[in-house]
Amino acid sequence: MYRYDDIDQQLVQERVAQFRDQTRRFLAGELGEDEFRPLRLQNGLYVQRFAPMLRIAIPYGLLSSRQLRRLAHIAREYDRGYGHFSTRQNLQLNWPKLEDVPDILAELAEVQMHAIQTSGNCVRNTTTDHFAGVARDEIVDSFVWCELIRQWSTFHPEFAHLPRKFKIAVNGASADRAATFLHDIGLHALRNDAGETGFRVIVGGGMGRTPIIGHAIREFLPWRHLLTYLDAVLRVYNRQGRRDNKYKARIKILVKELGPAEFARQVEAEWSRLADGPGTLIEDEVRRIEARFTRPEYETLAPFDVGYEARRTAEPAFAAWIKRNVHPHKLHGYAAVTLSLKRTGVPPGDATADQMEAVADLADRYSFGELRVSHEQNLILADVAQRDLHAMWREARRIGFATPNVGLLTNIIACPGGDFCSLANAKSIPVAEAIQRRFDDLDYQHDIGELDLNISGCMNSCGHHHVGHIGILGVDKNGEEWYQITIGGNQGLSKAVAPAAAGTPAALGRVIGPSFARADVPDVIERLIETYLEMRDSEHERFVDCVWRIGIEAFKEAVYGNRDQRRSHRERQLAAA
Amino acid sequence: MATVIREGRIANDSWRLLDAEIARLSYPAEDGLLPDFPANPELIVPLALWRRRREDLLERGGRLGVRLAPEDTAETIVADLGHFDLVAVEFPVFTDGRGYSTGRLLRERFGFRGELRAVGDVLHDQLLALYRCGFDAFALREDHDAEAARAAFHEISSFYQGDARDSRPLFRRRVAAEQGALSVRSGTASERRVPRCEQRE
Ligand code: SF4
């Protein structure tokens, strides 16, 4: 955990006081709705379909048990007793009262948390690999750099009113678990031949209605220059990004319109004026931040725990959970564990206050009091000793967080959709549930193997449907809810091995054809899966890799039939619409 | 008389912005002569008018300011900066953040030392960031309470980044403070003890 120093603490407290005054002025009628909007947004407060929604920052997804307990308390006191972990590693509360928000922020500040810049047209919460610091394939620990970026972006004076929101992701391992090619800026922390840390800089990726894979504009930026380079990219964007049309305002459109080479040239020209200036990082600062992170006090353990091995052989359910939800750790005798928030019948990412407290207890007992939120909307205990896995599993089962489905079809990523979000075209939660019910058989899921299924309720893509191996998007047709399906999307290289064997790189899914009514979606998914099972090369070929090998035609045909059948499907659909 | 907030105080404003008259002043009148400028000693002219009547404006004497629209970059007036006592940057809507970059560039890169004024949709809650970007005068939108808005400058006392007021980010101010030089606080912040860096403990 990063521990605040006096200044960090003072800043969030002053922010609470500032927002309290802004809220007071708004409620007193001194501040109009239009003027209050960006202020509340920069403090994480949206006005949603039914009530305000408050988005609380969980910087780079890292939480202490104490913070999680506070979140549970807030969910209970100020909301309806639950929260929603989002794909941006944040926590959303769906029912807070506007006048309570300053108090909620004050409660957060007491545990070194805030909701600063979790929405609005500014630099948002920086996200990273949920296995940072413990992954076997790690090159550089990304947390320190994420914290440096958090500080650099917090109340940046120049970039508080960008053309549009701005998201940065950092990945420091050979597998890309942060979807860096799909962010406004993606950073790959690397080491050069001399062993120095630096960053590959990717710009202009994104999802939304114009999904684009980002472009690398710098192959190796020495760490000293990280913040000045970010300043340069943001300045070019702030000055030239489009402001006339909010659908063309993201940086990806600017990069596309100028062309990546010209954009890079302008960034370099701007940066040449900032390079080596006062914004240049110094070693002392990096060390200081590093030292403010608490690190687990690991024991030296044997690589294999005998009791654990025995249990694994004796108890298939335990073994199944190990296979899906337990991940290798860089240290012998430790493992990282995913607590799945994807139990059938519960909206993906939702957790009750009781569950949060139970997880906080688990973290205290088994994982040095820390946990992480993954962008797959699960919780991670990153440092569990192998010998404790069995006991931990039993407890996780009791609270409903041990569904062994991580990486499998039912580990669905879904945005809140039409049940909560005022921008939605369609609901996403009932679709997720219907699919989970259809594929409830775990053996079957295991046979299908790794599959990311992502659902967004509209083009804003909060459910990352473009990069789902199967993506589902809610669309509106004459006021009715329909669902468009894509296949072949991928969030990034998935295996930490030689590039040739690392699977499909970051890719956007391709639309298979006309959209479907909600009731048909599980059938369609089933047909896609059957086709894959028939066509796959071996059980080692994942769904997404199979799609890229054979193309989408076979899948299309399985779903819509041949061309004639397709036409009649379309006609039927038109008649229905 | 109109007022502006200047360095945290409410001040009378003697500058006159030639805005409504730009069309009249840009072209010859019926007598075929270009009209005279108003007699005010202090005039702010839109960039287009400056371009059209540069020589007349320089001949006129008196103090001169130029007003930039959001799309007018700082670079466009660099060569002329010496002629201006004031640069006004327009914010047609407060969510248009281009002017923040303009301000920083004028101050930090092009060394403009005259008055840098934010005009247009300038509101209480943008003042602090504008100030940090080098603005030192604020023509607050009329329905905002200027007296109350003065508090904006003190709402947050320390910042991580360097800015037009102090180019050093917090991490450099910290180093300076440890060497006993200065407070780590940025901007107008009043006295505050330098915090110990307990991370070293
Ligand atoms: S994708 Fe659309 S429906 Fe879903 S949360 Fe985002 S804005 Fe709302």
Side-chain angles (χ1 to χ4, degrees):
Chain A
M1 275 316 294
Y2 175 77
R3 292 160 303 151
Y4 280 8
D5 72 0
D6 289 355
I7 295 183
D8 300 324
Q9 183 65 42
Q10 188 192 345
L11 243 138
V12 295
Q13 276 165 220
E14 288 173 342
R15 177 62 152 198
V16 173
Q18 186 187 42
F19 188 64
R20 199 181 283 286
D21 182 56
Q22 290 164 345
T23 307
R24 180 194 60 73
R25 282 188 280 139
F26 173 67
L27 292 172
E30 293 166 30
L31 209 52
E33 174 57 44
D34 282 351
E35 296 149 36
F36 185 56
R37 184 176 357 96
L39 305 176
R40 66 173 163 74
L41 285 177
Q42 303 222 344
N43 285 287
L45 188 62
Y46 283 81
V47 173
Q48 286 267 47
R49 186 159 279 185
F50 301 113
M53 182 268 274
L54 180 66
R55 186 181 289 150
I56 296 166
I58 301 176
Y60 34 92
L62 192 59
L63 265 181
S64 69
S65 55
R66 173 161 177 252
Q67 292 174 325
L68 186 58
R69 284 201 187 89
R70 181 59 61 95
L71 293 175
H73 162 79
I74 290 171
R76 201 176 277 133
E77 286 297 309
Y78 300 94
D79 205 292
R80 298 192 180 173
Y82 68 94
H84 172 79
F85 289 98
S86 80
T87 53
R88 297 271 316 144
Q89 301 180 319
N90 291 315
L91 182 79
Q92 297 178 177
L93 296 176
N94 281 310
W95 313 95
K97 288 205 219 56
L98 169 63
E99 52 275 27
D100 285 343
V101 172
D103 291 337
I104 299 177
L105 297 181
E107 296 240 16
L108 290 172
E110 282 175 17
V111 293
Q112 311 193 346
M113 295 186 81
H114 59 75
I116 295 165
Q117 292 171 214
T118 52
S119 52
N121 294 336
C122 50
V123 181
R124 303 283 188 90
N125 188 19
T126 299
T127 50
T128 193
D129 177 5
H130 47 265
F131 293 136
V134 303
R136 284 223 180 128
D137 63 337
E138 181 157 288
I139 303 162
V140 173
D141 182 344
S142 54
F143 281 152
V144 172
W145 304 102
C146 287
E147 175 59 25
L148 280 159
I149 294 170
R150 183 189 78 83
Q151 299 193 3
W152 161 83
S153 65
T154 300
F155 309 146
H156 197 299
E158 193 177 342
F159 307 132
H161 295 287
L162 294 168
R164 203 75 176 85
K165 59 190 168 184
F166 203 92
K167 300 176 180 179
I168 301 177
V170 188
N171 194 66
S174 46
D176 183 356
R177 285 179 289 263
T180 49
F181 278 94
L182 293 146
H183 280 79
D184 297 292
I185 293 181
L187 297 167
H188 292 177
L190 310 164
R191 284 191 208 286
N192 66 7
D193 294 340
E196 292 155 349
T197 301
F199 300 89
R200 182 168 186 225
V201 182
I202 293 149
V203 297
M207 296 192 252
R209 70 181 60 212
T210 318
I212 297 181
I213 301 286
H215 302 272
I217 57 168
R218 257 272 175 160
E219 285 303 326
F220 190 84
L221 178 76
W223 62 267
R224 279 192 170 66
H225 302 306
L226 177 64
L227 302 182
T228 50
Y229 204 83
L230 292 178
D231 273 323
V233 174
L234 267 295
R235 184 172 279 172
V236 170
Y237 170 56
N238 187 43
R239 300 180 82 192
Q240 295 192 57
R242 285 180 63 167
R243 290 173 186 268
D244 57 334
N245 178 344
K246 82 176 214 185
Y247 298 115
K248 301 201 164 156
R250 294 290 287 267
I251 194 174
K252 62 190 174 187
I253 304 294
L254 179 64
V255 173
K256 192 171 142 203
E257 284 179 356
L258 292 175
E262 171 59 16
F263 181 82
R265 192 195 62 73
Q266 295 193 15
V267 169
E268 293 286 331
E270 175 60 38
W271 181 64
S272 71
R273 308 296 301 267
L274 302 172
D276 298 316
T280 307
L281 272 169
I282 50 180
E283 191 145 358
D284 272 359
E285 174 66 0
V286 178
R287 292 235 186 83
R288 191 187 70 84
I289 298 280
E290 231 161 31
R292 295 208 68 78
F293 274 91
T294 55
R295 301 283 172 183
E297 289 172 20
Y298 293 115
E299 297 169 57
T300 311
L301 298 176
F304 295 104
D305 183 78
V306 183
Y308 158 75
E309 295 295 340
R311 296 266 190 193
R312 192 154 83 144
T313 325
E315 295 180 49
F318 179 51
W321 177 76
I322 297 282
K323 183 168 169 205
R324 294 312 328 175
N325 296 26
V326 175
H327 319 274
H329 193 284
K330 66 178 181 193
L331 288 184
H332 286 318
Y334 283 95
V337 173
T338 301
L339 298 171
S340 169
L341 302 191
K342 308 298 176 64
R343 198 164 52 135
T344 301
V346 179
D350 276 13
T352 65
D354 291 347
Q355 285 172 320
M356 291 185 220
E357 281 167 353
V359 171
D361 290 346
L362 286 183
D364 277 342
R365 238 161 322 132
Y366 298 114
S367 198
F368 302 94
E370 277 184 27
L371 65 153
R372 292 110 184 267
V373 182
S374 77
H375 78 274
E376 284 142 5
Q377 304 170 291
N378 289 318
L379 298 177
I380 314 273
L381 298 183
D383 302 287
V384 183
Q386 241 176 29
R387 60 158 187 256
D388 294 335
L389 281 171
H390 189 263
M392 209 216 92
W393 169 66
R394 292 175 58 120
E395 290 182 46
R397 263 211 325 192
R398 198 160 346 128
I399 56 170
F401 281 177
T403 312
N405 64 349
V406 173
L408 299 182
L409 201 163
T410 57
N411 182 35
I412 295 172
I413 295 183
C415 74
D419 290 301
F420 297 101
C421 173
S422 52
L423 302 172
N425 288 325
K427 296 191 178 187
S428 44
I429 293 168
V431 180
E433 188 177 340
I435 296 168
Q436 285 170 329
R437 291 205 188 286
R438 178 66 59 94
F439 291 92
D440 211 20
D441 180 348
L442 262 172
D443 289 338
Y444 186 43
Q445 279 190 54
H446 280 274
D447 186 36
I448 298 165
E450 248 176 64
L451 198 147
D452 296 345
L453 193 150
N454 300 358
I455 309 176
S456 302
C458 80
M459 257 309 177
N460 289 319
S461 324
C462 304
H464 299 182
H465 66 278
H466 294 296
V467 293
H469 300 171
I470 296 177
I472 301 178
L473 165 68
V475 291
D476 171 86
K477 280 197 194 169
N478 308 319
E480 280 181 55
E481 299 187 353
W482 288 77
Y483 296 87
Q484 184 188 70
I485 294 185
T486 50
I487 58 174
N490 197 30
Q491 62 154 317
L493 289 183
S494 55
K495 294 183 202 138
V497 287
T504 308
L508 303 169
R510 295 168 62 196
V511 179
I512 60 170
S515 26
F516 304 92
R518 192 194 299 167
D520 293 334
V521 172
D523 286 338
V524 176
I525 304 302
E526 192 151 27
R527 244 164 283 155
L528 291 171
I529 298 295
E530 283 163 4
T531 311
Y532 153 68
L533 291 174
E534 244 165 69
M535 307 298 278
R536 72 180 174 189
D537 194 36
S538 77
E539 59 188 47
H540 298 298
E541 185 177 57
R542 299 177 307 162
F543 178 90
V544 64
D545 302 326
C546 177
V547 172
W548 281 91
R549 181 172 57 82
I550 68 175
I552 69 171
E553 236 359 85
F555 292 92
K556 258 181 158 164
E557 221 153 85
V559 171
Y560 298 99
N562 57 33
R563 203 167 291 150
D564 293 343
Q565 288 165 310
R566 251 183 250 166
R567 189 172 317 129
S568 72
H569 170 90
R570 212 166 298 146
E571 277 156 12
R572 251 183 294 127
Q573 225 184 9
L574 283 175
Chain B
M1 188 178 256
T3 58
V4 286
I5 302 178
R6 195 180 277 130
E7 291 289 357
R9 293 206 173 74
I10 299 171
N12 285 331
D13 183 31
S14 50
W15 287 87
R16 170 150 175 206
L17 176 62
L18 295 184
D19 205 2
E21 293 118 302
I22 178 171
R24 184 180 68 81
L25 291 166
S26 296
Y27 300 100
E30 279 161 18
D31 56 10
L33 298 173
L34 281 162
D36 285 337
F37 288 101
N40 294 53
E42 299 177 311
L43 288 182
I44 303 173
V45 299
L47 182 62
L49 189 57
W50 162 250
R51 285 184 173 147
R52 212 173 268 281
R53 300 197 58 185
R54 176 193 176 99
E55 295 313 318
D56 296 341
L57 282 165
L58 288 178
E59 239 169 63
R60 171 192 156 270
R63 304 214 301 156
L64 187 62
V66 67
R67 191 197 62 186
L68 301 180
E71 63 275 15
D72 298 331
T73 61
E75 286 83 350
T76 51
I77 54 159
V78 172
D80 293 338
L81 272 182
H83 299 302
F84 303 126
D85 298 289
L86 178 151
V87 175
V89 177
E90 197 194 335
F91 293 83
V93 286
F94 69 88
T95 48
D96 188 333
R98 285 176 285 185
Y100 293 84
S101 291
T102 307
R104 287 195 74 174
L105 288 169
L106 284 172
R107 287 288 194 224
E108 294 171 61
R109 186 162 300 167
F110 305 127
F112 179 64
R113 289 284 155 256
E115 177 171 321
L116 188 56
R117 179 183 288 201
V119 301
D121 201 24
V122 176
L123 313 178
H124 174 149
D125 298 288
Q126 279 69 52
L127 295 185
L128 183 51
L130 287 167
Y131 172 84
R132 295 181 62 205
C133 287
F135 289 87
D136 54 4
F138 310 88
L140 201 68
R141 205 175 76 189
E142 274 170 13
D143 58 341
H144 271 234
D145 177 350
E147 193 54 47
R150 290 171 54 211
F153 299 100
H154 308 286
E155 283 167 357
I156 309 273
S157 56
S158 187
F159 293 98
Y160 292 115
Q161 315 78 9
D163 55 34
R165 299 284 160 175
D166 186 337
S167 64
R168 300 166 307 162
L170 179 61
F171 58 81
R172 287 190 192 266
R173 276 175 270 137
R174 234 187 254 277
V175 172
E178 273 168 20
Q179 291 162 355
L182 281 165
S183 160
V184 293
R185 295 181 84 172
S186 49
T188 49
S190 49
E191 269 309 301
R192 176 167 168 272
R193 294 304 314 152
V194 176
R196 283 162 61 229
C197 290
E198 67 271 61
Q199 64 279 4
R200 293 277 160 76
E201 284 165 9

